[in-house]
Amino acid sequence: MELVRPVIEEFAAEMFAGFARRDQRAKGQLYLRGLLCDGKRKSMQPMAARLGVDHQQLQQFVTTSTWDHSQVRARLTRWAARFVDPDALVVDDTGFPKDGTSSPGVARMYCGALGKRGNCQIGVSVHAVTDWSSAALDWRLYLPRSWDDHTATDPAEAQRIAALRARCAIPGHARFREKWRLALDMLDEVAAWGMPARPVIADAAYGDSTAFRAGLTDRGLAYVLAVSASTSVHPATARPVAPTYSGFGRPRTRTDYPDKPMTAKTMITTAGRAAGRFVTWRRGSRKTPGNPGAVMRSRFLALRVRPANRNITRAPDGSLPECWLLAEWPTGAPEPTDYWLATLPPSIPLRDLVQLAKIRWRIEHDYRELKDGLGLDHFEGRSWTGWHRHVTLASIAQAICTTLRHTPKAPAQA
């Protein structure tokens, strides 16, 4: 810690430059040191014990001190735009298992950390990503309907929820909002903070939402989104035709496709395994006797298609927008295992398309480092503001780790 402390101080000074008071900047730096120190548990009391301070200092800084976590995230975003220079922005969410029911947003939901439904919070996040580095830029705590008194039909239930919200100091504007809407809100926010437009990557929980895909297109953002095998598509060569008038009733004017759409799985399997190409997208860390170079390689097929889900905006001639359908069909697999829709240019090389589709592995690395090493899910407070401040500080701690990893001489220079 003494070796890297100058780096922490310099990074903290940049992130906390907007704090009005010197003691706030000092406590912010202290909290970062607590997250970066050895020790499995990164809640306030264990951190304070390792730092040799009263835990009330850390608690006051996170829960009641007057500083805006969104301003800190804006500085972190501008740092990531320079240092990470991301190839993509990845949207994802992660679960925070909880024993009690008083923490904001806690409900019985599917939790990836548990691998099943359980008592948890869900945090939605946006990350700046390359193959060599990544940074968590923005966070939202998901509030299910059970935490929104405006959605309750029973007055007694609404009153109970309102009391729970008041105890957690949840602001009035924070209501139930689908995760994909939270993701769009954050993409708007990081763009306003100075993050350049980059392709958006997400799993099928987001890619299967037609509204999310439309929201990205409306914002001028390209995407590579995982989708289900049952996603409906037309071939790119399909064209809508004007309906034939039967002579009875009012003539139909809307053009439509004469053939029914097929599923993504049917489209790919009809093209056949032989239509694919083997692509190596990166080298991993797990070497085996059969793969001493840890090469990550598989067969991929890419076809131009027109997604046919409902509520997709059509061109004036009635045609659906064209995009890529990418599928992975590993050797030995009887059928494709993964599918993506991508709005990247038709001229993009297959390898580049695959690299972006597969770049989500960085997020698993982020969540593992943030949770196992930096205490992302160790916050034990019960305030809305406290949770958002804690995850912000954990993200800064991860950015410091990234700086140290990729600037080996930083401590000596400092």
Side-chain angles (χ1 to χ4, degrees), residues 333-408:
E335 60 187 35
T337 56
D338 297 283
Y339 302 84
W340 296 265
L341 290 179
T343 55
L344 296 167
S347 59
I348 187 171
L350 179 60
R351 185 171 184 270
D352 293 348
L353 187 60
V354 170
Q355 284 181 326
L356 283 172
K358 288 290 190 176
I359 208 168
R360 275 194 64 251
W361 75 271
R362 286 293 323 182
I363 303 310
E364 301 305 322
H365 170 275
D366 275 3
Y367 286 152
R368 185 170 60 250
E369 181 177 46
L370 285 163
K371 288 184 174 184
D372 293 348
L374 300 171
L376 178 72
D377 57 349
H378 296 177
F379 182 67
E380 296 177 347
R382 295 179 178 177
S383 76
W384 172 269
T385 299
W387 185 90
H388 282 87
R389 288 177 172 177
H390 173 76
V391 298
T392 301
L393 294 165
S395 298
I396 294 175
Q398 187 204 25
I400 292 173
C401 292
T402 299
T403 301
L404 292 170
R405 276 194 295 265
H406 298 285
T407 313

Side-chain angles (χ1 to χ4, degrees), residues 229-305:
S230 59
T231 299
S232 299
V233 293
H234 289 289
T237 54
R239 294 290 182 269
V241 296
T244 303
Y245 181 51
S246 64
F248 297 95
R250 187 174 181 178
R252 292 170 53 199
T253 59
R254 178 181 171 179
T255 60
D256 209 343
Y257 288 85
D259 299 321
K260 290 184 178 181
M262 61 183 74
T263 66
K265 178 180 177 180
T266 301
M267 178 76 75
I268 295 295
T269 53
T270 299
R273 186 197 303 265
R277 285 168 42 201
F278 281 97
V279 174
T280 298
W281 63 92
R282 71 181 180 91
R283 293 182 181 273
S285 57
R286 296 183 180 179
K287 299 180 180 181
T288 64
N291 187 9
V295 172
M296 307 195 77
R297 188 169 183 262
S298 186
R299 180 190 286 107
F300 292 86
L301 289 76
L303 305 175
R304 297 296 288 175
V305 299

Side-chain angles (χ1 to χ4, degrees), residues 110-146:
Y110 177 80
C111 177
L114 299 174
K116 60 180 181 180
R117 285 179 60 85
N119 211 48
C120 67
Q121 297 169 308
I122 299 293
V124 185
S125 54
V126 172
H127 305 243
V129 172
T130 69
D131 256 341
W132 70 270
S133 182
S134 53
L137 307 178
D138 208 0
W139 293 87
R140 290 289 189 279
L141 181 60
Y142 170 70
L143 287 180
R145 294 182 188 274
S146 59

Side-chain angles (χ1 to χ4, degrees), residues 9-271:
E9 291 175 349
E10 182 179 356
F11 204 93
E14 179 183 354
M15 295 297 109
F16 304 147
F19 287 8
R21 291 162 36 193
R22 182 183 301 175
D23 67 309
Q24 289 179 328
R25 295 192 290 273
K27 288 177 181 176
Q29 182 191 131
L30 190 67
Y31 201 95
L32 290 176
R33 286 170 51 204
L35 294 173
L36 289 162
C37 276
D38 287 338
K40 186 64 176 175
R41 193 68 190 165
K42 301 295 176 71
S43 53
M44 293 184 192
Q45 289 191 348
M47 285 199 303
R50 296 184 200 106
L51 294 167
V53 299
D54 185 350
H55 79 277
Q56 294 290 343
Q57 293 186 43
L58 303 181
Q59 185 171 356
Q60 186 273 338
F61 172 71
V62 169
T63 58
T64 61
S65 183
T66 55
W67 58 278
D68 186 355
H69 63 263
S70 63
Q71 292 183 6
V72 178
R73 293 180 188 178
R75 293 188 187 91
L76 181 62
T77 297
R78 289 190 286 271
W79 167 85
R82 299 189 311 269
F83 190 86
V84 178
D85 188 17
D87 296 325
L89 297 176
V90 179
V91 171
D92 211 337
D93 53 73
T94 187
F96 299 77
K98 293 291 180 180
D99 292 328
T101 59
S102 299
S103 297
V106 165
R108 284 195 63 81
M109 300 176 283
Y110 177 80
C111 177
L114 299 174
K116 60 180 181 180
R117 285 179 60 85
N119 211 48
C120 67
Q121 297 169 308
I122 299 293
V124 185
S125 54
V126 172
H127 305 243
V129 172
T130 69
D131 256 341
W132 70 270
S133 182
S134 53
L137 307 178
D138 208 0
W139 293 87
R140 290 289 189 279
L141 181 60
Y142 170 70
L143 287 180
R145 294 182 188 274
S146 59
W147 278 82
D148 189 349
D149 52 310
H150 287 183
T151 65
T153 56
D154 178 45
E157 178 66 8
Q159 188 175 8
R160 184 193 69 81
I161 297 173
L164 198 58
R165 289 172 58 91
R167 188 162 68 242
C168 295
I170 298 176
H173 64 80
R175 298 289 167 183
F176 164 73
R177 196 163 173 79
E178 295 91 338
K179 296 170 192 173
W180 64 265
R181 292 187 191 274
L182 296 177
L184 290 176
D185 291 344
M186 288 188 288
L187 289 169
D188 290 340
E189 197 164 44
V190 298
W193 291 338
M195 176 58 65
R198 293 291 186 269
V200 176
I201 317 298
D203 63 18
Y206 297 87
D208 282 340
S209 169
T210 303
F212 179 64
R213 302 201 306 264
L216 295 177
T217 300
D218 291 344
R219 289 162 172 78
L221 295 173
Y223 58 74
V224 184
L225 303 177
V227 293
S228 302
S230 59
T231 299
S232 299
V233 293
H234 289 289
T237 54
R239 294 290 182 269
V241 296
T244 303
Y245 181 51
S246 64
F248 297 95
R250 187 174 181 178
R252 292 170 53 199
T253 59
R254 178 181 171 179
T255 60
D256 209 343
Y257 288 85
D259 299 321
K260 290 184 178 181
M262 61 183 74
T263 66
K265 178 180 177 180
T266 301
M267 178 76 75
I268 295 295
T269 53
T270 299

